[in-house]
Amino acid sequence: MFSEILGVVLMFILLFLLAIPLGKYMAKVFQFQSTWLDKIFNPLDQLIFKIARIRVKEEMNWKQHLTALLTINLCWFLIAMFVLTNMSWLPLNPDGNPSMTGDLAFNTAISFITNTNLQHYSGETGVSYLGQLTLQLWQFISAGCGIAIAVVVFFAMREKTQTSYANFYVLFVKSCTRILLPLSLVVAVILLFNHVPMTFQGKDTMIGLQGDTVQVSRGPVAGFVAIKQLGTNGGGFFGPNSAHPLENPNYLTNIVETIAIVLIPLALIFTMGHILNRRKLAWSIVGVMTIGFFLLCIPTILQEVKGNAAIAKMGIAQPHGSMEGKELRFGAPASAYWAISTTTTSNGSVNAMHDSLTPLSGMFTLLGMMVNAFYGGVGVGFLNYYIFIILAVFISGLMVGRTPEFLGKKIEAREMKIAMIIALLHPFLILTGTAIASHVYAHNPTAYAAWLNNPGYHGFSEMLYEFTSSSANNGSGFEGLGDNTPFWNIACGIVMLLARYLPIIGPVAIAGSLAAKKYIPESAGTLKTDTPTFSLMVFAVIAIVAALSFFPALTLGPIAEYFSI
Amino acid sequence: MKSESSQQLFNAGIVKEALKESFIKLNPTKMIKNPVMFTVWVGTLVMMAVCVWIAAGEANQGGLLYNIIVTAILFITLVFANFAEAIAEARGKAQANSLRKTREETPAKLIQPVGEMYVNEIKRVPSSQLRKGDVFLCEVGDIIPTDGEIIEGLATIDESAITGESAPVIREAGGDKSSVTGGTKVLSDKIKVKVTTEPGESFLDKMIALVEGASRQKTPNEIALTILLAGFTLVFIIVTVTLKPFGDYAQTPITIAAFISLFVCLIPTTIGGLLSAIGIAGMDRALRANVITKSGKAVETAGDVDVLLLDKTGTITIGNRKATQFHPAPGVEESAFVKAVVLSSLADDTPEGKSILELAGDSYRNISVNDPVYIKFTAETRSSGIDFDGQRIRKGASDAIRNLCAIKGNEFPKEVDETVRKISSNGGTPLVVSKDERVLGVVELQDIIKPGIQERFERLRKMGIKTVMVTGDNPLTAKFIAEKAGVDDYIAEAKPEDKMNYIRKEQQGGRLVAMMGDGTNDAPALAQADVGVAMNSGTQAAKEAGNMVDLDNDPTKLIEVVEIGKQLLMTRGTLTTFSIANDVAKYFAIVPALFISSIPALQHLNIMKLHSPESAILSAVIFNAIIIPLLIPLALRGVAYKPIGASALLRRNLLIYGLGGVLIPFIGIKLIDLFVSLYF
């Protein structure tokens, strides 16, 4: 057990060792400074700019940035819908998988454009290779959009009385070619060498140990897994996601995949520090995120290592911890670490089944998604955190006797209105969604019996998890939920859409509005936002706004379950 | 001041008026302006309906008495919140009324215009009949009936009714000291005054209207904070409403009383109830410092000020220069020199002259000479003095005396020249004294920096405020005094447009500038500044241009105004923090209470070990209600501002109001529960 926990610690250290230089590299990329990859990628960039007629020098205001992002997303949504509903007759379908129904395609397309990757289908039987490639392209686009829009906000934070800064298309292309593509290549190659398949051939057959012939699904897996991990997408090539031996064959691939989950979200904060030339601010944000991450991760690991209370009551020793739903090759600590990494970052890939986590661990994964800003999704994690900063600045700015300002810009009614709407949105979507589902179920439990694998508190957690995962654009699931029904497909689809775009629009609008304001130089009376005290304030705001509003819901789900077994 | 204000905090008359007003404010059209409290208002109505429903036979909503108590506490919460606002208004009104009382229905000697000329045909009318543009006469012993500007004459005036300062002041036509205030008393001479305001429109009247709420508008920061609070309220509406289907799923019936109690406890009622009281109290505190603000926004802006423009004279230095040292010329005996200086100053009424006698001391006080002829200071000779027994003693600027000596062919000693230069470079003013056109020595006059002013500037610097001294002195003197007083910057040989340019420059850099002024030529700068405080003695133009008027004419008032502004903002911030931090304990009180009966395992969440679900809910609601009146004194007095730097201040306030806000309700709710559990 000691070496298992040491493995987790080393993974975390390695994560920082990689994220710090990556953050610096990304800052260089977005500020058009030369990097050693220029020789290879400059011609590619130029070609893309030329074909797409992107005017590199043209700067955009915040509305144009958003228009650009939404246009890209809408176009590709339509293409994805077309492919998913027609893939049965389109090429690259060696296994003869069927097309999706309308509501499932709607859910899946939205799920992938919103970086959620909630899957109400199973990859082996639900999509063709063309479908997989379309989804994989989406994993690049949604992550690229996330990085680009976060960088837009960085530039807006840096500007003094400016309305236009950077070009979204350029940032988007660079995110894909300079960051996602090279990193994915590296990860995919490591996976390849560890026998993750990468082929367009159909199912293979093999003879199992018992002597019967088994059909084994395969496909272009390695590339898919690389970007699903790096782009906080999380949608697996196969149904069991990274618990599947062909997605995540051994402990080494597990290390690579685990680190890849948090790498870019964390590195982006350092990028912000470089672009704004405020390293201390970056470190204090990273500090809050890391403490939040630890507060979720450490108890989860302890819970899983301790084992399942119900099994312990039966007098059965659990030397390896709670192993239900976990892979033997990873063990309890590494699975628990992955569970928190994937839920805090809105990734949603899994290497163990969250439905089988002990009750409190289940709650911590839920909390990670409810906060959705302890590292958070690629780009959007920072945007969520930005909203919390605005709220914290407002309250603590008053506490030092000045009207609130952040980085030299006054925060006024307009910014507060947007920040409040965005802060409200997440609890609103999760609680309202779960409330509707609970209402429907409670009034006719027999008709909807197929929804819930487990009745009672755990069943409630399953519904709560599904909406939380959708609203956090996470995509993982408490898989006990029978979710491929029109209700869940459509409800989650709507939640994912709102929860993706409004929390992007809000911070970009706030940052844009602040950037255009008059800059107020710092003085001794100015609230400093890179101090431990202010960090504590942000943490308190997150705890009270994001976590406490879910307290009653969590009480009826995991907490009640915990106290009952 | 402090003991006075705490005495007045809950003065019986004010409390009575405020209580009455807090019921009147229950009117929904008034309640809706405060979204947080309005939801409590709606909750109270729902609970009343529930009580009726239970009385009619409904059995699943808990006992009737319990429901009635919950309803009553919600109602009391509303009254408490209204009371906070009402008492702030009542105090402001009382303060303003006491100022206004003196000027009500004073007889005025109206000068009747005949044709184009004003003739001395005087008609006695009540002051309320005076209109803008009317001219009235005031003689010795008259109370000035209304605000106005002297158009003819000069008078000493006792302004103690307004400023509390007993020393009379001189006001005269023309110049910058032409303004008189209603309610003050003429002690000598006779003045003709032109009325500058319509009745009911003086600054004081405007201020009273602001305090009373009729014309009070939410300030930008108040609006932003209201949005934040409304947002929190919405979050908790969602939390509470969705709990109903959750409860249905878990087969846990939750009573309406429990829903509404949970909701009311979670929404920020504490700050919601105190918010407007805090704003009014800010203006009221300004009024107590004898500063009339023209809007609540001005007070708020004062807290944000980055640059303070301060006049040297009166603010940084004591009004006038003082003689600090005698420097006899070589070969002149000190006593002979001092004697000559004293003689030359015997008839000198200027403060400088008096300070020379003071410095010389008592032993020279009784010097007298035969048939003295006093020579007055003229702009031409630029010296003054005395002639007696054929001796001519003169005192004046060094070049004036040098000329005198040169005419007679007398040499101006090198050593004296050196002394003169040295004094100048030390920020002083040298006065050279001669006898029969021979230089006797130099008197050194120095600006006296006000005691304690350095500390005040240090305090301002810690607040992050830059201080700028404005003076007509030459740059050398200005620099010396600036350094000595510890201001950050200075404008020397300042003309009115220099102030204006300086303000513009700072504002372009994004800074907020405050200044104080009195003259008409200050008006543009006062209007340009973000916070312009006009002295009440100043011209009407200056008073119109600024956004505050200082009744005391005290130039250091600016510093107090800034602190009042900061206090106002801080009080809002700390009480918001406190209010939101309270939620932690309230969750732990109410959430277990909601579910314990159907999910006994959740007893573990009842970390306060509250007696029963009913007692837990009642305790939380009671705590929520009584915390409002308990915090009224803090809201009215304001959180103390300590200039210890923003980060330290945040740490301090977060510790007191944040951590305190988390802990206090745990203790409070538990204590209340110990009592409530006797009954429920």
Side-chain angles (χ1 to χ4, degrees):
Chain A
M1 192 54 72
F2 173 75
S3 56
E4 285 187 57
I5 288 176
L6 185 68
V8 170
V9 173
L10 290 178
M11 272 195 270
F12 189 77
I13 293 171
L14 197 54
L15 166 69
F16 266 77
L17 292 181
L18 291 171
I20 294 169
L22 177 63
K24 195 169 181 184
Y25 165 76
M26 289 198 282
K28 279 188 174 170
V29 168
F30 292 118
Q31 295 181 100
F32 296 93
Q33 292 159 357
S34 62
T35 61
W36 56 277
L37 282 176
D38 283 353
K39 280 200 189 94
I40 313 164
F41 286 104
N42 264 352
L44 176 65
D45 285 357
Q46 293 310 327
L47 185 70
I48 295 173
F49 293 154
K50 207 169 170 189
I51 295 171
R53 296 198 189 163
I54 295 168
R55 287 183 289 270
V56 181
K57 292 257 150 43
E58 197 177 281
E59 298 200 319
M60 296 176 166
N61 63 30
W62 66 268
K63 285 180 190 151
Q64 291 167 317
H65 283 295
L66 286 175
T67 314
L69 179 138
L70 294 174
T71 314
I72 294 176
N73 280 248
L74 180 66
C75 291
W76 286 98
F77 169 72
L78 298 175
I79 295 170
M81 276 299 278
F82 173 77
V83 173
L84 292 176
T85 49
N86 293 284
M87 60 194 166
S88 62
W89 56 268
L90 286 168
L92 285 179
N93 190 6
D95 296 338
N97 288 340
S99 301
M100 284 184 178
T101 58
D103 60 311
L104 182 59
F106 172 76
N107 182 288
T108 307
I110 286 176
S111 162
F112 276 79
I113 62 166
T114 58
N115 197 260
T116 312
N117 295 202
L118 188 73
Q119 292 163 299
H120 289 176
Y121 65 92
S122 197
E124 301 89 326
T125 52
V127 268
S128 68
Y129 290 164
L130 182 69
Q132 296 279 28
L133 287 180
T134 314
L135 298 178
Q136 185 182 349
L137 178 66
W138 259 111
Q139 295 182 326
F140 273 98
I141 294 171
S142 64
C145 282
I147 297 177
I149 205 69
V151 174
V152 166
V153 171
F154 297 161
F155 281 122
M157 285 162 78
R158 189 176 69 177
E159 290 303 341
K160 296 172 181 173
T161 328
Q162 257 331 313
T163 48
S164 296
Y165 28 82
N167 182 305
F168 184 81
Y169 294 115
V170 175
L171 296 180
F172 171 64
V173 169
K174 291 217 167 219
S175 304
C176 292
T177 60
R178 296 308 176 89
I179 293 152
L180 295 171
L181 193 59
L183 283 174
S184 301
L185 267 175
V186 173
V187 172
V189 168
I190 298 176
L191 295 179
L192 264 181
F193 277 102
N194 284 277
H195 312 293
V196 175
M198 188 72 192
T199 173
F200 284 113
Q201 288 175 339
K203 286 191 176 81
D204 203 355
T205 51
M206 62 173 275
I207 296 164
L209 287 174
Q210 291 165 312
D212 42 0
T213 311
V214 202
Q215 297 261 307
V216 180
S217 291
R218 50 183 179 172
V221 183
F224 195 95
V225 172
I227 184 63
K228 92 161 190 214
Q229 294 300 92
L230 284 164
T232 60
N233 293 292
F237 192 92
F238 302 115
N241 211 297
S242 279
H244 192 292
L246 293 186
E247 279 204 23
N248 191 4
N250 56 38
Y251 203 89
L252 175 68
T253 56
N254 194 56
I255 292 175
V256 174
E257 290 183 21
T258 312
I259 289 174
I261 293 175
V262 189
L263 184 61
I264 296 177
L266 176 61
L268 267 173
I269 311 296
F270 292 117
T271 306
M272 181 216 72
H274 289 289
I275 290 181
L276 268 67
N277 204 10
R278 287 177 185 268
R279 315 277 159 85
K280 211 180 149 203
L281 179 64
W283 272 105
S284 58
I285 293 176
V286 167
V288 174
M289 291 177 163
T290 304
I291 289 171
F293 182 81
F294 282 167
L295 286 179
L296 297 172
C297 186
I298 294 171
T300 304
I301 294 177
L302 292 178
Q303 282 291 315
E304 292 309 298
V305 166
K306 207 170 115 193
N308 187 329
I311 296 179
K313 265 184 201 157
M314 291 187 264
I316 299 169
Q318 301 172 78
H320 298 289
S322 170
M323 286 304 290
E324 182 196 319
K326 294 194 180 64
E327 294 295 302
L328 276 174
R329 60 188 188 281
F330 307 136
S335 301
Y337 179 65
W338 180 304
I340 293 302
S341 297
T342 197
T343 44
T344 50
T345 56
S346 102
N347 185 300
S349 64
V350 294
N351 72 348
M353 294 302 115
H354 289 190
D355 201 25
S356 300
L357 292 172
T358 56
L360 287 189
S361 301
M363 181 176 79
F364 293 127
T365 57
L366 277 165
L367 272 174
M369 294 187 285
M370 285 162 175
V371 170
N372 209 16
F374 292 148
Y375 306 131
V378 165
V380 292
F382 175 78
L383 298 191
N384 290 338
Y385 193 90
Y386 183 78
I387 294 290
F388 292 125
I389 292 183
I390 298 290
L391 296 181
V393 158
F394 188 83
I395 301 172
S396 46
L398 286 179
M399 276 207 282
V400 303
R402 281 177 77 95
T403 56
E405 60 203 40
F406 177 51
L407 302 181
K409 312 290 175 56
K410 283 257 177 274
I411 293 176
E412 289 161 306
R414 183 182 143 84
E415 290 80 34
M416 271 329 278
K417 213 178 283 175
I418 302 173
M420 231 32 244
I421 290 172
I422 302 305
L424 264 172
L425 183 75
H426 200 44
F428 172 76
L429 292 177
I430 295 174
L431 293 176
T432 314
T434 314
I436 293 171
S438 301
H439 179 81
V440 170
Y441 184 88
H443 286 268
N444 204 348
T446 43
Y448 295 96
W451 277 13
L452 302 179
N453 238 351
N454 309 272
Y457 312 132
H458 197 78
F460 182 75
S461 300
E462 286 173 356
M463 295 191 291
L464 180 64
Y465 195 102
E466 190 71 6
F467 276 106
T468 309
S469 173
S470 302
S471 184
N473 288 159
N474 183 284
S476 63
F478 260 22
E479 291 302 336
L481 188 74
D483 49 19
N484 187 11
T485 65
F487 172 83
W488 288 102
N489 283 338
I490 293 167
C492 293
I494 294 169
V495 169
M496 285 187 280
L497 268 185
L498 292 174
R500 168 72 172 181
Y501 295 107
L502 293 182
I504 285 179
I505 294 170
V508 173
I510 293 177
S513 146
L514 290 182
K517 285 190 187 186
K518 207 152 70 173
Y519 175 77
I520 306 152
E522 264 182 38
S523 75
T526 311
L527 172 78
K528 303 232 170 4
T529 44
D530 52 9
T531 60
T533 319
F534 181 76
S535 303
L536 180 72
M537 186 73 199
V538 180
F539 188 84
V541 167
I542 292 176
I544 290 182
V545 176
L548 268 189
S549 39
F550 298 106
F551 186 54
L554 291 172
T555 306
L556 282 178
I559 297 178
E561 189 186 355
Y562 172 76
F563 285 123
S564 305
I565 56 171
Chain B
M1 197 68 183
K2 198 146 214 178
S3 65
E4 185 193 32
S5 66
S6 50
Q7 265 171 24
Q8 287 183 359
L9 214 53
F10 288 111
N11 166 313
I14 291 176
V15 169
K16 212 170 133 196
E17 196 193 325
L19 264 179
K20 199 177 89 192
E21 194 59 31
S22 40
F23 283 93
I24 296 171
K25 282 173 187 286
L26 288 173
N27 179 344
T29 54
K30 289 189 179 166
M31 291 299 303
I32 203 155
K33 284 181 191 154
N34 184 340
V36 178
M37 295 319 291
F38 184 70
T39 55
V40 181
W41 189 86
V42 173
T44 315
L45 280 195
V46 173
M47 278 312 296
M48 285 178 182
V50 170
C51 288
V52 174
W53 190 28
I54 295 172
E58 166 64 32
N60 294 327
Q61 293 296 335
L64 181 61
L65 180 66
Y66 162 71
N67 275 281
I68 289 177
I69 293 176
V70 170
T71 314
I73 297 168
L74 294 188
F75 182 75
I76 291 169
T77 312
L78 283 176
V79 173
F80 279 159
N82 285 344
F83 179 73
E85 185 179 288
I87 197 155
E89 285 177 4
R91 282 171 41 123
K93 227 190 302 184
Q95 181 75 16
N97 275 339
S98 71
L99 280 177
R100 185 159 61 171
K101 211 172 277 167
T102 44
R103 58 175 65 186
E104 270 169 3
E105 295 310 310
T106 321
K109 297 172 182 169
L110 182 70
I111 300 175
Q112 296 279 51
V114 177
E116 289 292 300
M117 298 285 288
Y118 291 135
V119 291
N120 287 349
E121 188 176 314
I122 288 164
K123 187 181 167 196
R124 283 179 188 270
V125 296
S127 59
S128 55
Q129 285 183 14
L130 290 174
R131 292 286 175 274
K132 194 170 172 178
D134 283 352
V135 176
F136 60 84
L137 182 76
C138 275
E139 289 163 305
V140 178
D142 285 352
I143 304 276
I144 297 174
T146 184
D147 293 359
E149 201 160 355
I150 304 176
I151 51 170
E152 197 183 309
L154 167 154
T156 46
I157 293 175
D158 173 12
E159 292 192 336
S160 60
I162 291 196
T163 64
E165 177 64 50
S166 57
V169 293
I170 295 176
R171 298 280 178 261
E172 63 183 316
D176 291 341
K177 305 261 181 211
S178 61
S179 212
V180 290
T181 314
T184 56
K185 192 174 175 186
V186 177
L187 292 181
S188 73
D189 304 278
K190 187 163 89 173
I191 45 172
K192 278 187 191 169
V193 181
K194 189 174 182 177
V195 179
T196 48
T197 52
E198 290 291 351
E201 281 180 13
S202 73
F203 296 126
L204 204 54
D205 291 311
K206 284 183 196 158
M207 173 108 189
I208 291 169
L210 269 180
V211 168
E212 279 175 348
S215 67
R216 186 171 70 237
Q217 284 182 325
K218 282 189 175 156
T219 61
N221 177 259
E222 223 174 329
I223 292 172
L225 185 54
T226 307
I227 291 171
L228 179 88
L229 299 180
F232 274 113
T233 308
L234 269 174
V235 170
F236 295 123
I237 288 180
I238 296 167
V239 169
T240 319
V241 170
T242 55
L243 206 51
K244 168 81 175 104
F246 294 175
D248 289 349
Y249 172 87
Q251 287 154 359
T252 308
I254 301 171
T255 61
I256 295 175
F259 274 125
I260 291 182
S261 304
L262 174 68
F263 171 69
V264 169
C265 283
L266 292 181
I267 60 171
T269 47
T270 314
I271 178 68
L274 294 172
L275 187 56
S276 55
I278 295 170
I280 301 165
M283 283 191 276
D284 182 45
R285 272 201 301 280
L287 192 57
R288 265 155 220 273
N290 268 335
V291 175
I292 296 179
T293 55
K294 293 194 197 163
S295 70
K297 188 176 176 238
V299 182
E300 199 172 88
T301 313
D304 272 353
V305 160
D306 303 285
V307 181
L308 272 188
L309 250 54
L310 300 163
D311 278 324
K312 185 197 81 175
T313 311
T315 315
I316 296 166
T317 61
I318 289 172
N320 304 292
R321 290 151 194 255
K322 280 191 165 179
T324 53
Q325 214 179 338
F326 297 124
H327 301 273
V332 179
E333 230 174 89
E334 171 133 14
S335 61
F337 171 60
V338 176
K339 193 178 163 194
V341 174
V342 169
L343 283 171
S344 73
S345 306
L346 276 179
D348 189 349
D349 263 349
T350 62
E352 285 90 350
K354 284 178 190 157
S355 77
I356 289 175
L357 295 184
E358 231 168 79
L359 182 69
D362 288 338
S363 48
Y364 293 92
R365 186 128 304 171
N366 298 321
I367 298 174
S368 58
V369 289
N370 303 324
D371 310 323
V373 179
Y374 296 114
I375 313 294
K376 288 246 172 198
F377 178 90
T378 66
E380 213 170 313
T381 60
R382 291 168 60 224
S383 63
S384 60
I386 183 169
D387 287 356
F388 65 95
D389 298 344
Q391 299 182 13
R392 294 177 299 283
I393 297 179
R394 293 289 180 276
K395 176 183 79 184
S398 68
D399 49 344
I401 302 295
R402 188 194 301 268
N403 284 343
L404 272 182
C405 299
I407 292 166
K408 292 279 171 158
N410 291 331
E411 202 191 336
F412 195 86
K414 236 186 220 140
E415 291 83 351
V416 173
D417 210 25
E418 181 62 27
T419 315
V420 165
R421 243 207 343 267
K422 222 163 92 188
I423 293 171
S424 293
S425 66
N426 280 342
T429 311
L431 281 182
V432 181
V433 178
S434 68
K435 184 175 170 186
D436 298 337
E437 289 76 42
R438 277 175 206 283
V439 176
L440 288 180
V442 190
V443 179
E444 180 173 353
L445 297 177
Q446 279 286 6
D447 269 312
I448 305 296
I449 297 189
K450 277 194 172 176
I453 201 82
Q454 283 104 328
E455 288 76 23
R456 288 199 102 157
F457 289 144
E458 189 50 40
R459 202 175 148 90
L460 286 170
R461 196 164 301 115
K462 285 202 183 123
M463 288 184 201
I465 295 172
K466 178 176 157 190
T467 46
V468 182
M469 181 180 84
V470 184
T471 172
D473 290 341
N474 64 56
L476 206 66
T477 314
K479 180 165 183 278
F480 180 81
I481 295 173
E483 276 170 12
K484 213 165 148 197
V487 292
D488 300 313
D489 197 4
Y490 59 89
I491 312 174
E493 292 171 349
K495 295 179 287 296
E497 58 268 29
D498 293 338
K499 274 194 202 178
M500 184 76 179
N501 292 337
Y502 197 92
I503 294 174
R504 284 229 179 92
K505 193 186 84 198
E506 290 289 348
Q507 284 175 335
Q508 266 155 21
R511 294 179 191 85
L512 294 185
V513 186
M515 71 163 280
M516 199 152 185
D518 53 4
T520 300
N521 50 21
D522 279 336
L526 278 172
Q528 177 75 29
D530 301 281
V531 175
V533 183
M535 297 204 202
N536 197 38
S537 61
T539 60
Q540 192 62 25
K543 288 204 264 184
E544 293 284 352
N547 39 23
M548 293 187 195
V549 178
D550 176 25
L551 298 176
D552 291 344
N553 311 316
D554 173 8
T556 56
K557 199 56 80 56
L558 215 44
I559 301 172
E560 261 171 70
V561 169
V562 169
E563 291 199 0
I564 290 172
K566 287 202 176 287
Q567 261 191 331
L568 169 72
L569 295 171
M570 272 173 51
T571 312
R572 274 188 204 144
T574 51
L575 288 183
T576 304
T577 308
F578 183 83
S579 190
I580 296 169
N582 275 196
D583 279 0
V584 179
K586 290 172 184 169
Y587 267 118
F588 278 98
I590 297 186
V591 169
L594 295 178
F595 306 128
I596 275 178
S597 50
S598 44
I599 312 172
L602 287 177
Q603 183 62 39
H604 295 282
L605 275 186
N606 183 8
I607 52 176
M608 279 179 272
K609 302 261 175 287
L610 302 178
H611 179 70
S612 69
E614 284 81 13
S615 77
I617 287 172
L618 281 177
S619 306
V621 194
I622 291 174
F623 177 84
N624 194 53
I626 59 172
I627 197 73
I628 296 176
L630 287 182
L631 288 175
I632 289 178
L634 182 70
L636 295 188
R637 221 175 272 142
V639 171
Y641 180 81
K642 294 221 177 341
I644 46 178
S647 291
L649 200 59
L650 178 64
R651 212 173 307 133
R652 186 188 135 90
N653 285 333
L654 206 53
L655 193 71
I656 299 175
Y657 299 95
L659 192 62
V662 173
L663 297 180
I664 287 172
F666 274 107
I667 302 166
I669 291 174
K670 179 66 192 170
L671 287 178
I672 297 169
D673 181 73
L674 288 178
F675 175 75
V676 174
S677 62
L678 297 176
Y679 304 96
F680 285 94

